[in-house]
């Protein structure tokens, strides 16, 4: 594989994935779908972890139609319900003795004020706490696998009005859909970096990596505030495709030169579009005290303890 300095990274650079078991959350559409499809085409045994089995089956059919000999299955997973997360984790653990790659991709963005089944603010509960719990529950089946990875999808939104509001994590006062999204995406990065620290300390053969898609045209935009909705018609001009947006995740998941604690995003202006490269997240995301505090609170809220 050529380095990013000599040629742009594309799906053609994905090494053979034969023998790898991959779980992709939110794989029925958008970034998750294209991530799962590319990994399946390159030989991985891919599990589409999706909330809607009907949409998941439709996605599975599309992947199989493109290449008939792929190995793709479904698991029902609703990240906004810890009970669903536990059921999905139980199913995955019983079916797959080893998991080579977990891609925490699913998410919601800029939603009206809502809470999850467990009473968490919807964006924080789904984007961060759901994935935190899923990772913790699956990790014993990941850390025994040489070359295994946990890839979590963040966003440029981790810089937008972003802070971890420990005094009001669930946004019970003065809700801001943009601020809550920023908090959840910042949490994705804090989680990744703290997980990597713990994996390194335990000398696990697993790495934790993050990625972001830049500006990508996906269904996440369905909750955009009404005043901005006319911009949806311009999405094809302003944003890259979901297929292109999946490239940073795919590189983080498969490039053999990737190291734990790295962050990948598009190489274009403002990291909005382009081919994947190593990028930098905000200074706040690298605050070790913030990482540890969020980890502790997340364990308390989810009841999930990590084996590292």
């Amino acid at each position: 594989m050529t380095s990013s300095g000599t040629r742009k990274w594309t799906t053609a650079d994905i090494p053979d994935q034969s023998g790898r078991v991959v779980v992709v959350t939110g794989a029925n559409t958008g970034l998750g779908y294209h991530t799962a499809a590319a990994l399946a085409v390159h030989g991985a045994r891919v599990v589409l972890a999706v909330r809607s089995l009907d949409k998941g089956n439709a996605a599975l059919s599309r992947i199989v139609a493109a290449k008939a000999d792929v190995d793709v299955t479904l698991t029902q997973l609703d990240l906004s319900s810890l009970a669903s997360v536990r059921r999905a984790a139980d199913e995955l653990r019983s079916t797959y003795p080893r998991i080579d790659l977990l891609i925490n991709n699913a998410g919601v963005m800029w939603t009206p004020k809502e809470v999850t089944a467990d009473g968490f603010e919807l964006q924080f509960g789904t984007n961060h706490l759901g994935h935190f719990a899923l990772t913790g529950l699956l990790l014993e089946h990941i850390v025994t696998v040489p070359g295994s990875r946990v890839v979590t999808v963040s966003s440029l939104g981790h810089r937008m009005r972003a802070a971890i509001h420990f005094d009001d994590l669930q946004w019970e006062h003065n809700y801001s859909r943009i601020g809550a999204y920023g908090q959840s995406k910042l949490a994705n990065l804090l989680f990744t970096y703290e997980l990597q620290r713990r994996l390194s300390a335990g000398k696990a053969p697993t790495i934790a990596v993050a990625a972001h898609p830049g500006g990508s045209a996906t269904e996440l935009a369905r909750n955009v505030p009404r005043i901005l909705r006319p911009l949806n018609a311009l999405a094809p001009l302003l944003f890259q495709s979901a297929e292109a947006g999946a490239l940073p995740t795919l590189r983080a998941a498969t490039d053999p030169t990737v190291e734990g604690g790295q962050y990948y995003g598009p190489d274009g202006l403002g990291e909005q579009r382009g081919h994947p490269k190593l990028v930098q997240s905000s200074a706040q995301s690298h605050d070790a005290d913030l990482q540890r505090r969020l980890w502790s609170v997340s364990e308390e809220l989810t009841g999930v303890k990590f084996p590292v």
Side-chain angles (χ1 to χ4, degrees), residues 15-32:
D16 180 23
Q17 299 295 296
S18 297
R20 296 188 90 197
V21 175
V22 178
V23 178
V24 184
T25 69
N28 60 295
T29 187
L31 303 172

Side-chain angles (χ1 to χ4, degrees), residues 172-194:
E172 295 173 307
H173 310 287
N174 301 316
Y175 178 72
S176 162
R177 61 174 72 190
I178 295 174
Y181 181 67
Q183 173 177 264
S184 73
K185 294 287 102 178
L186 173 59
N188 288 153
L189 287 165
L190 294 166
F191 162 64
T192 295
Y193 299 148
E194 177 63 11

Side-chain angles (χ1 to χ4, degrees), residues 37-57:
L39 292 168
V41 165
H42 282 81
R45 186 179 188 185
V46 179
V47 182
L48 312 181
V50 297
R51 184 171 58 179
S52 166
L53 290 180
D54 287 341
K55 291 181 179 179
N57 274 309

Side-chain angles (χ1 to χ4, degrees), residues 9-271:
W9 196 95
T10 72
T11 53
D13 292 303
I14 297 175
D16 180 23
Q17 299 295 296
S18 297
R20 296 188 90 197
V21 175
V22 178
V23 178
V24 184
T25 69
N28 60 295
T29 187
L31 303 172
Y33 169 79
H34 289 289
T35 299
L39 292 168
V41 165
H42 282 81
R45 186 179 188 185
V46 179
V47 182
L48 312 181
V50 297
R51 184 171 58 179
S52 166
L53 290 180
D54 287 341
K55 291 181 179 179
N57 274 309
L60 189 154
S61 296
R62 287 172 61 199
I63 294 172
V64 172
K67 193 172 188 291
D69 61 344
V70 295
D71 187 344
V72 186
T73 57
L74 286 181
T75 289
Q76 189 166 30
L77 168 68
D78 181 353
L79 287 160
S80 69
S81 163
L82 289 177
S84 175
V85 171
R86 289 183 180 279
R87 282 194 298 270
D90 285 344
E91 179 183 335
L92 290 166
R93 287 196 306 259
S94 65
T95 307
Y96 305 101
R98 58 177 281 165
I99 296 173
D100 298 74
L101 177 59
L102 170 62
I103 299 183
N104 293 321
N105 161 83
V108 292
M109 182 178 82
W110 293 1
T111 54
K113 187 174 183 180
E114 294 180 56
V115 296
T116 69
D118 305 284
F120 306 134
E121 186 277 317
L122 183 62
Q123 296 182 86
F124 185 67
T126 301
N127 299 351
H128 169 60
L129 292 175
H131 280 129
F132 179 93
L134 180 68
T135 304
L137 292 167
L138 294 180
L139 203 59
E140 284 188 346
H141 284 229
I142 299 173
V143 294
T144 57
V145 183
S148 55
R149 300 183 186 186
V150 176
V151 178
T152 300
V153 180
S154 184
S155 165
L156 288 169
H158 88 274
R159 299 178 183 272
M160 297 172 61
R161 300 181 61 184
I164 306 298
H165 298 267
F166 289 108
D167 59 339
D168 188 17
L169 275 176
Q170 312 310 334
W171 293 81
E172 295 173 307
H173 310 287
N174 301 316
Y175 178 72
S176 162
R177 61 174 72 190
I178 295 174
Y181 181 67
Q183 173 177 264
S184 73
K185 294 287 102 178
L186 173 59
N188 288 153
L189 287 165
L190 294 166
F191 162 64
T192 295
Y193 299 148
E194 177 63 11
L195 176 58
Q196 176 57 37
R197 186 189 69 76
R198 289 167 178 255
L199 290 167
S200 295
K203 295 182 168 33
T206 306
I207 59 172
V209 192
H212 81 83
S216 299
T218 71
E219 290 186 6
L220 278 181
R222 63 183 176 270
N223 292 311
V224 70
R226 184 171 300 170
I227 193 171
L228 298 177
R229 284 178 189 168
L231 293 177
N232 281 344
L234 299 176
L237 299 176
L238 297 173
F239 305 129
Q240 62 185 354
S241 67
E243 186 172 11
L247 288 175
T249 301
L250 286 165
R251 183 167 190 181
T254 66
D255 184 341
T257 69
V258 168
E259 297 178 1
Q262 290 185 331
Y263 183 42
Y264 286 82
D267 63 2
L269 182 65
E271 299 174 20

Side-chain angles (χ1 to χ4, degrees), residues 265-286:
D267 63 2
L269 182 65
E271 299 174 20
Q272 283 287 341
R273 57 198 304 160
H275 292 264
K277 71 169 186 176
L278 184 63
V279 296
Q280 295 298 317
S281 59
S282 67
Q284 187 177 201
S285 70
H286 291 284

